[in-house]
Amino acid sequence: MAGPVFVIAVICWSLITISSQQQNTSQNGPATQKDATILILGAGMTGITAAKTLHDKGYRNFIILEGSNRIGGRISETQIGNYIVEGGAAWIHGSGTNPLLTLAKRFNLSYVATHYEDYGVRDGSGRDVTDEFAIRYNTSFGPAFKYFKNYTKESRAISRTDFTIRSALLMGGWRPQSAVDDLIEFFNIDFSYAYAADVVSGLHAYIYEAYDAYNTTDDLTVNDVRGYSHIVRSLHAEFISDGDQRLRLNEVVTDIEQTDEGIVVRTKDNVTYSADHVLVTFSIGVLQNNDVRFSPPLPAWKREAIHQFQQALLMHVYVQFAEKFWDDHEFILYASERRNYFNIWHNIDKTLPGSKILQVSVVGDEVKRLERLKDTEIISELLSVLRTMYSDRTVSEPIAYNIPRWYSNPLFRGAFSNWPPGYTINTFSNLQAPVGKIFFAGEYSDRFNYGYIQAAYLSALRVVDNIEECLRKPGACDVTTRPKENYHECNDHTRQMYSANQEDEDGTCSFDECPVSSSSLHLSPDFDIFISKLVIAFLLRCFIL
Ligand SMILES: *[C@@H]1O[C@H](CO)[C@@H](O)[C@H](O)[C@H]1NC(C)=O
Ligand SMILES: *[C@@H]1O[C@H](CO)[C@@H](O)[C@H](O)[C@H]1NC(C)=O
Ligand SMILES: *[C@@H]1O[C@H](CO)[C@@H](O)[C@H](O)[C@H]1NC(C)=O
Ligand SMILES: *[C@@H]1O[C@H](CO)[C@@H](O)[C@H](O)[C@H]1NC(C)=O
Ligand SMILES: *[C@@H]1O[C@H](CO)[C@@H](O)[C@H](O)[C@H]1NC(C)=O
Ligand SMILES: *[C@@H]1O[C@H](CO)[C@@H](O)[C@H](O)[C@H]1NC(C)=O
């Protein structure tokens, strides 16, 4: 089915495998034979899905380079006592028709429904304030949250510009006034996005749309002894056997050089790999941190798209006790005067019965602070919180703990992505776009599921389609065409503003992807003035450039 490319791929591959240690590349002399047609950088859900999809389509001449000693990426189980818990991704977000659930079922992954509604709340003096929490949720936050979701839907339908979740909650009447209120907000917003409502895009917080599309509101907690990454390993095992040299672990990529002849990737050990195409699946945090040097440097449109998106930080600390002293709820919440300070406790004893394990979550800058501390210092802070929450009970030292650190790990630099307010769909297209024959995919690069594992999976399917187009039409992807840089999203307002193409020599101010609509507009006088100012600013910009 795959025809000549497959045949060539197989021949290439045979030549290469004869000398699996081959390190010479086009850099060291005239380009003769490349190491692979496609290099896949990273063996997480994205990299493995992409490789499997290529394999299934008949493209077998790929090499996967993975920086760590395992596959799975940010899906990574870890041990505490005799139990396996999830150090990274821990949930299947959205059940229903979520493709991730299909995979989980196919590989017989074990999971249980997450019962967010089964919670108890204690405050800074150890008082049970669960009722106060529920009343404030029902009468104030809940309605505002509904308003926000509805406003998002409506705004997208009529192409409103972006707003923050905070502004929508305020419009919906939510004004937090107490530690309990802060906790309600934290549990519903920060615990999902790992960012506060003020810095999350209201328009693109597609999380709800993703759930709606899958006809579900459910989350599932993975509690499989093989770990959540069993899914990735199983996908991997479907197309590649153990010891196959196409998967190379402990290969930390440091440089990606693109020339007319192809691409050369260099690792920390100064080993080089040459290929026609490269798929980069690093996290947005790794890309932002310049851990990998691109030569030539990535163009400004790409760097802007990368640096303006956000890497969210989330830390799960696991502690195991000899005796279970806590309330019998799935979630135990702490209404502290200090926001984001060991507020959300997930009772793992519910998902792994008998384990006597608690998981506590912290997000954002607090993660940076904690990751700099020693394990024992973190445990001591966390214990003093538990002793405040349970001042009426004995909280002894834990018998085991496990503290995964994602932020300080240079291979990951955080947990998952966040869409910040004002980040446009056009910039997002630039985030997804290839640069020449360097392709990008990952958890951050699916518009409707970003932040979730299904996004990694779906982005891999999409990017393989793009790569395949290049493979099918040799030459088609030789020219690096720069995506259009639109300064405003294409909506009724911008259509009106930029009805004519305004393009300078390098296309900087081109808006020709913005189809002119004939729909009439009724703008307020204030808005007209605002628009005029924008147009003037815009024309000046074109002129100066
Ligand atoms: C790599 O190139 C060098 C010099 O060009 C040559 O001596 C060596 O044999 C080559 N190694 C392999 C594995 O091809
Ligand atoms: C799926 O897992 C369950 C236990 O989690 C086991 O009883 C069952 O045999 C497994 N089925 C398959 C097909 O592996
Ligand atoms: C809040 O609303 C939920 C769902 O409608 C209801 O079950 C619960 O009893 C309410 N709680 C309070 C304290 O009003
Ligand atoms: C949702 O928004 C629509 C307008 O787009 C409005 O008619 C409807 O009443 C809103 N629903 C709620 C529950 O706020
Ligand atoms: C969700 O449910 C609606 C109505 O029950 C149905 O029409 C739609 O096809 C479902 N969507 C998916 C993705 O299953
Ligand atoms: C890495 O290899 C290149 C040749 O491929 C060589 O020029 C360079 O000096 C090496 N760098 C280090 C740090 O070994």
Side-chain angles (χ1 to χ4, degrees):
M1 179 189 110
V5 176
F6 174 64
V7 175
I8 291 166
V10 168
I11 294 170
C12 276
W13 179 236
S14 317
L15 287 172
I16 288 156
T17 40
I18 290 166
S19 154
S20 65
Q21 290 307 306
Q22 171 164 350
Q23 293 174 10
N24 288 0
T25 67
S26 54
Q27 271 212 324
N28 301 335
T32 45
Q33 190 67 70
K34 298 215 175 71
D35 293 327
T37 307
I38 303 157
L39 277 178
I40 298 171
L41 309 184
M45 180 56 106
T46 309
I48 295 299
T49 304
K52 176 170 162 41
T53 311
L54 285 165
H55 172 97
D56 291 349
K57 286 172 180 278
Y59 303 106
R60 310 273 161 96
N61 187 14
F62 53 78
I63 294 176
I64 309 168
L65 301 180
E66 164 57 41
S68 76
N69 61 2
R70 54 180 289 283
I71 66 172
R74 282 168 279 166
I75 312 177
S76 173
E77 62 280 1
T78 184
Q79 188 158 3
I80 170 166
N82 293 322
Y83 291 89
I84 295 296
V85 292
E86 296 303 326
W91 278 278
I92 296 173
H93 286 282
S95 52
T97 52
N98 184 344
L100 191 63
L101 184 61
T102 310
L103 284 180
K105 287 181 176 160
R106 181 158 130 216
F107 299 124
N108 200 26
L109 190 76
S110 168
Y111 51 78
V112 290
T114 311
H115 296 286
Y116 294 109
E117 71 289 351
D118 176 16
Y119 63 83
V121 189
R122 288 174 169 259
D123 73 4
S125 43
R127 257 184 342 123
D128 186 323
V129 291
T130 310
D131 285 347
E132 188 187 333
F133 184 101
I135 290 166
R136 283 293 288 166
Y137 184 93
N138 284 6
T139 59
S140 189
F141 185 84
F145 199 63
K146 236 182 194 160
Y147 180 91
F148 151 55
K149 288 200 265 178
N150 195 34
Y151 191 73
T152 295
K153 271 186 197 155
E154 180 193 292
S155 299
R156 289 227 304 278
I158 63 170
S159 295
R160 273 202 188 102
T161 51
D162 205 358
F163 52 92
T164 62
I165 292 185
R166 166 74 60 221
S167 61
L169 290 175
L170 281 164
M171 289 160 78
W174 171 245
R175 280 162 187 78
Q177 281 153 15
S178 64
V180 166
D181 282 2
D182 284 349
L183 179 63
I184 291 172
E185 188 181 301
F186 190 86
F187 191 41
N188 287 280
I189 305 292
D190 307 51
F191 187 51
S192 290
Y193 298 99
Y195 271 97
D198 315 73
V199 285
V200 182
S201 161
L203 192 66
H204 298 288
Y206 268 105
I207 161 171
Y208 307 109
E209 209 75 353
Y211 281 78
D212 289 353
Y214 301 143
N215 277 344
T216 180
T217 54
D218 296 343
D219 275 358
L220 306 167
T221 308
V222 175
N223 64 350
D224 196 301
V225 290
R226 298 161 299 187
Y228 201 161
S229 68
H230 167 66
I231 291 192
V232 189
R233 284 193 305 274
S234 303
L235 269 178
H236 170 253
E238 282 190 344
F239 70 99
I240 208 169
S241 55
D242 276 354
D244 189 316
Q245 287 294 304
R246 285 178 296 171
L247 171 66
R248 312 216 176 171
L249 301 176
N250 302 307
E251 291 281 28
V252 178
V253 169
T254 55
D255 294 86
I256 301 174
E257 188 190 347
Q258 181 164 220
T259 65
D260 290 342
E261 280 80 50
I263 301 171
V264 175
V265 167
R266 187 177 297 277
T267 70
K268 216 170 173 178
D269 300 330
N270 207 20
V271 176
T272 55
Y273 293 90
S274 58
D276 296 320
H277 305 82
V278 168
L279 170 57
V280 171
T281 75
F282 308 138
S283 75
I284 203 76
V286 166
L287 292 172
Q288 287 177 346
N289 211 59
N290 298 337
D291 292 308
V292 179
R293 210 167 50 88
F294 288 87
S295 167
L298 292 176
W301 60 262
K302 188 71 182 178
R303 281 185 288 126
E304 186 205 312
I306 288 170
H307 290 290
Q308 209 185 326
F309 219 57
Q310 288 177 338
Q311 177 73 54
L313 308 183
L314 170 68
M315 185 184 216
H316 291 319
V317 179
Y318 288 94
V319 269
Q320 185 182 37
F321 293 90
E323 295 303 328
K324 185 174 161 289
F325 57 83
W326 53 90
D327 301 315
D328 198 32
H329 293 294
E330 179 160 348
F331 286 92
I332 298 157
L333 311 179
Y334 175 44
S336 160
E337 286 306 328
R338 181 168 170 187
R339 207 169 191 279
N340 190 18
Y341 191 62
F342 303 111
N343 302 106
I344 313 287
W345 298 77
H346 192 193
N347 181 5
I348 301 299
D349 204 61
K350 286 274 184 186
T351 60
L352 293 172
S355 62
K356 297 174 188 163
I357 293 170
L358 286 174
Q359 172 213 57
V360 64
S361 300
V362 171
V363 305
D365 282 348
E366 187 66 15
V367 174
K368 297 187 184 174
R369 185 185 73 84
L370 290 174
E371 286 205 12
R372 287 182 204 116
L373 299 182
K374 294 197 201 83
D375 281 7
T376 49
E377 293 171 321
I378 296 173
I379 295 301
S380 130
E381 286 193 26
L382 161 170
L383 275 179
S384 87
V385 166
L386 281 175
R387 286 172 181 148
T388 307
M389 290 166 69
Y390 289 100
S391 49
D392 53 338
R393 301 181 196 174
T394 306
V395 178
S396 45
E397 295 287 316
I399 54 171
Y401 56 78
N402 193 314
I403 309 180
R405 286 169 161 82
W406 293 98
Y407 166 64
S408 38
N409 186 331
L411 296 180
F412 303 103
R413 303 220 181 263
F416 50 82
S417 59
N418 176 51
W419 191 310
Y423 194 97
T424 68
I425 293 171
N426 294 313
T427 309
F428 194 74
S429 313
N430 288 353
L431 189 64
Q432 297 173 312
V435 174
K437 291 181 179 177
I438 303 175
F439 293 79
F440 295 83
E443 147 281 307
Y444 64 85
S445 74
D446 184 88
R447 196 177 141 195
F448 301 103
N449 293 272
Y450 69 91
Y452 294 147
I453 299 172
Q454 63 262 30
Y457 178 78
L458 294 167
S459 77
L461 302 186
R462 196 196 59 243
V463 83
V464 166
D465 281 348
N466 298 344
I467 294 173
E468 194 180 19
E469 257 177 56
C470 289
L471 291 169
R472 280 211 180 127
K473 289 181 263 169
C477 299
D478 286 353
V479 185
T480 304
T481 41
R482 194 175 70 160
K484 298 294 179 196
E485 287 189 71
N486 293 2
Y487 290 95
H488 297 279
E489 284 178 41
C490 213
N491 59 36
D492 282 348
H493 300 155
T494 49
R495 260 178 225 125
Q496 167 103 351
M497 284 161 72
Y498 307 118
S499 52
N501 287 346
Q502 314 211 23
E503 196 163 350
D504 70 359
E505 256 176 26
D506 73 349
T508 308
C509 293
S510 167
F511 286 90
D512 58 4
E513 285 189 342
C514 192
V516 179
S517 119
S518 56
S519 71
S520 60
L521 284 170
H522 305 284
L523 301 176
S524 72
D526 276 358
F527 192 78
D528 280 343
I529 293 167
F530 172 71
I531 294 285
S532 314
K533 284 182 181 166
L534 270 183
V535 169
I536 290 166
F538 170 77
L539 289 174
L540 275 176
R541 188 190 167 104
C542 282
F543 184 70
I544 291 162
L545 290 170

